């Protein structure tokens, strides 16, 4: 078989790239250490007759991109989410799309839990307090937070990541688990003692912490909006490590500012990398820059999985993670 020509839209950990090199594929890796604009991506893809593309969640893969690189019949996304890719259009054109599921489940669940603990214990706020020289001695009511034990954790989307967060909450912190998902999951209910609610509204009303784990779809955009925020307990916390547009960020800002809910912790934003103006000034929100899967171990494994999807395709097999 002739050598394959692959375009990689940004430098990723070497382990996967080395697997491609071992197959003697020729790799062109974008030299820009940043997100390519649409025009830059089209320009680069037009340079050579690429057989495949390894792309990132920051690349918008649409008809225009498919047109620019008519030769490429596979786009391997370096992410589990694939809302950045027009999959319907790809299918029409016989283009294969793959993702990297599973491997980041534990890492994202751990980051989610870090956010849950951090917002409940006011960790980031307390750290700022000390750094700003405000700590002048122990005080009985200084920076009081909330316990997790006995509280209800509401999981919105009990798939791989959501169910893993629930597992940690149940086993490690004695929390009660409630969930809403379009598909009830009997196994999950048994494993975590989780109680199913048949609408997001009911789930929001009973939860002390709500952790969002649905994919971004037309049906999940602004799933958490002003009205739903007002259904939450005033003492509740909202955590989002899924995709930013699932939450109406303006409505969330207003709810946090006005005390409609107690706090939030966000790893993803509606218009990344922008953060809704004013959110950064609030003490009751923790903001991390889309790093929930960012461990050395996981980012390397993601690189390998994206590579193995490409290799399987070019070996004439069905890629393990075709979407
Ligand atoms: P998954 O497919 O295993 O789980 C998603 C769950 O959401 C499924 O159980 C599905 O039935 C449910 N769901 C779908 N539509 C729904 C709706 N309208 N209402 C309620 N439930 C609905 O996915 P996963 O591996 O758990 O990942 C979840 C999401 O997390 C990904 O789609 C991705 O966007 C995001 N993610 C973010 C990061 C990050 O770095 N912050 C990393 C990995 C994944």
């Amino acid at each position: 078989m002739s050598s394959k020509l692959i375009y990689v839209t940004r430098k990723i950990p070497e382990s996967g790239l080395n697997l491609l090199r071992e197959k003697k594929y020729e790799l062109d890796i974008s030299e820009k250490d940043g997100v390519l604009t649409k025009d830059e991506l089209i320009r680069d893809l037009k340079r050579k007759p690429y057989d495949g593309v390894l792309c990132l969640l920051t690349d918008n893969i649409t008809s225009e991109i498919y047109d620019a690189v008519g030769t490429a019949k596979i786009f391997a996304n370096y992410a589990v989410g694939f809302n950045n890719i027009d999959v319907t259009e790809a299918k029409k054109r016989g283009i294969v799309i793959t993702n990297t599921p599973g491997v980041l489940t534990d890492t994202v669940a751990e980051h989610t839990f870090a956010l849950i603990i951090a917002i409940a214990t006011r960790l980031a706020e307390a750290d700022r307090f000390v750094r700003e020289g405000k700590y002048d001695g122990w005080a009985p009511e200084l920076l009081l937070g909330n316990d997790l034990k006995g509280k209800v954790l509401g999981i919105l989307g009990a798939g791989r990541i959501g169910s893993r967060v629930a597992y940690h909450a149940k086993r490690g912190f004695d929390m009660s688990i409630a969930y809403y998902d379009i598909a009830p999951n009997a196994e999950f209910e048994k494993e975590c003692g989780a109680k199913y609610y048949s609408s997001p509204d009911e789930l929001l009303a009973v939860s002390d912490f709500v952790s969002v784990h649905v994919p971004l779809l037309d049906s999940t955009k602004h799933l958490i909006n002003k009205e739903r925020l007002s259904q939450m307990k005033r003492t509740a916390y909202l955590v989002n490590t899924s995709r930013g547009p699932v939450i109406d960020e303006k409505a969330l800002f207003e709810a946090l500012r006005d005390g409609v809910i107690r706090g939030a912790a966000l790893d993803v934003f509606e218009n990344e990398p922008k953060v809704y103006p004013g959110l950064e000034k609030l003490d009751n929100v923790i903001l991390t820059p889309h790093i929930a899967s960012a461990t050395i171990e996981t980012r390397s494994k993601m690189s390998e999985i994206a590579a193995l999807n490409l290799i399987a395709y070019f070996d004439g097999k069905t890629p393990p993670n075709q979407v």
Side-chain angles (χ1 to χ4, degrees):
M1 196 200 280
S2 62
S3 170
K4 297 298 169 196
L5 189 53
I6 312 288
Y7 185 75
V8 182
T9 64
R10 190 165 180 177
K11 195 188 165 319
I12 59 170
E14 283 293 312
S15 55
L17 301 178
N18 285 337
L19 293 176
L20 298 173
R21 291 185 185 112
E22 279 165 24
K23 291 290 284 187
K24 306 271 183 265
Y25 296 173
E26 194 182 319
L27 306 185
D28 282 350
I29 302 169
S30 166
E31 283 168 13
K32 178 177 175 182
D33 186 20
V35 180
L36 294 169
T37 63
K38 183 176 82 179
D39 289 344
E40 287 170 336
L41 184 55
I42 289 174
R43 177 203 62 199
D44 287 3
L45 291 176
K46 279 187 166 165
R47 281 199 182 127
K48 293 184 189 170
Y50 291 105
D51 298 297
V53 177
L54 198 161
C55 56
L56 313 187
L57 58 88
T58 40
D59 302 315
N60 255 329
I61 307 297
T62 59
S63 303
E64 282 178 274
I65 303 298
Y66 300 137
D67 288 342
V69 61
T71 45
K73 291 292 172 227
I74 175 164
F75 283 70
N77 210 32
Y78 176 77
V80 60
F82 46 87
N83 52 287
N84 58 309
I85 299 182
D86 187 340
V87 178
T88 313
E89 183 60 30
K91 284 203 171 127
K92 275 191 214 150
R93 297 174 182 234
I95 294 171
V96 169
I97 306 295
T98 65
N99 67 343
T100 61
V103 64
L104 13 65
T105 299
D106 284 317
T107 310
V108 178
E110 286 173 19
H111 189 84
T112 306
F113 228 89
L115 291 178
I116 292 173
I117 294 174
I119 192 65
T121 58
R122 302 172 66 173
L123 200 73
E125 195 185 344
D127 179 79
R128 284 194 295 274
F129 183 85
V130 177
R131 286 172 198 270
E132 287 163 11
K134 293 179 181 166
Y135 179 44
D136 58 7
W138 185 90
E141 291 188 296
L142 177 63
L143 287 164
L144 299 184
N146 285 113
D147 293 326
L148 301 188
K149 185 172 175 176
K151 299 283 166 53
V152 177
L153 172 64
I155 300 284
L156 204 48
R160 288 173 291 246
I161 298 169
S163 56
R164 191 69 184 151
V165 171
Y167 179 90
H168 293 316
K170 180 77 184 168
R171 304 288 162 106
F173 294 87
D174 258 341
M175 297 181 83
S176 302
I177 310 302
Y179 80 108
Y180 166 72
D181 194 300
I182 42 170
N185 180 338
E187 201 185 315
F188 171 61
E189 287 175 27
K190 203 169 151 209
E191 185 171 35
C192 291
K195 182 162 181 208
Y196 180 67
Y197 287 86
S198 57
S199 75
D201 310 73
E202 287 176 76
L203 180 80
L204 294 174
V206 298
S207 301
D208 299 301
F209 293 81
V210 174
S211 196
V212 183
H213 300 286
V214 293
L216 176 59
L217 305 165
D218 288 343
S219 59
T220 58
K221 181 160 193 248
H222 285 192
L223 187 64
I224 305 281
N225 54 22
K226 184 175 175 166
E227 197 197 334
R228 292 228 162 98
L229 285 162
S230 69
Q231 289 161 354
M232 291 175 68
K233 296 183 182 179
R234 285 186 90 81
T235 50
Y237 297 96
L238 180 65
V239 177
N240 187 15
T241 58
S242 67
R243 285 288 182 264
V246 175
I247 296 179
D248 178 342
E249 207 167 294
K250 176 175 185 286
L252 176 61
F253 165 72
E254 289 167 0
L256 290 168
R257 182 196 61 194
D258 301 341
V260 175
I261 62 170
R262 185 168 284 166
L266 309 173
D267 182 53
V268 286
F269 303 93
E270 193 163 352
N271 296 299
E272 287 181 24
K274 291 196 186 109
V275 175
Y276 189 82
L279 262 184
E280 80 290 353
K281 294 202 174 68
L282 298 179
D283 262 334
N284 56 344
V285 61
I286 291 178
L287 312 167
T288 57
H290 205 148
I291 54 159
S293 72
T295 62
I296 295 164
E297 296 90 337
T298 288
R299 288 288 166 88
S300 298
K301 281 189 222 137
M302 286 166 63
S303 170
E304 288 157 33
I305 288 176
L308 290 172
N309 279 315
L310 286 163
I311 290 169
Y313 177 81
F314 291 123
D315 282 351
K317 299 178 191 142
T318 302
N321 310 111
Q322 185 165 343
V323 300

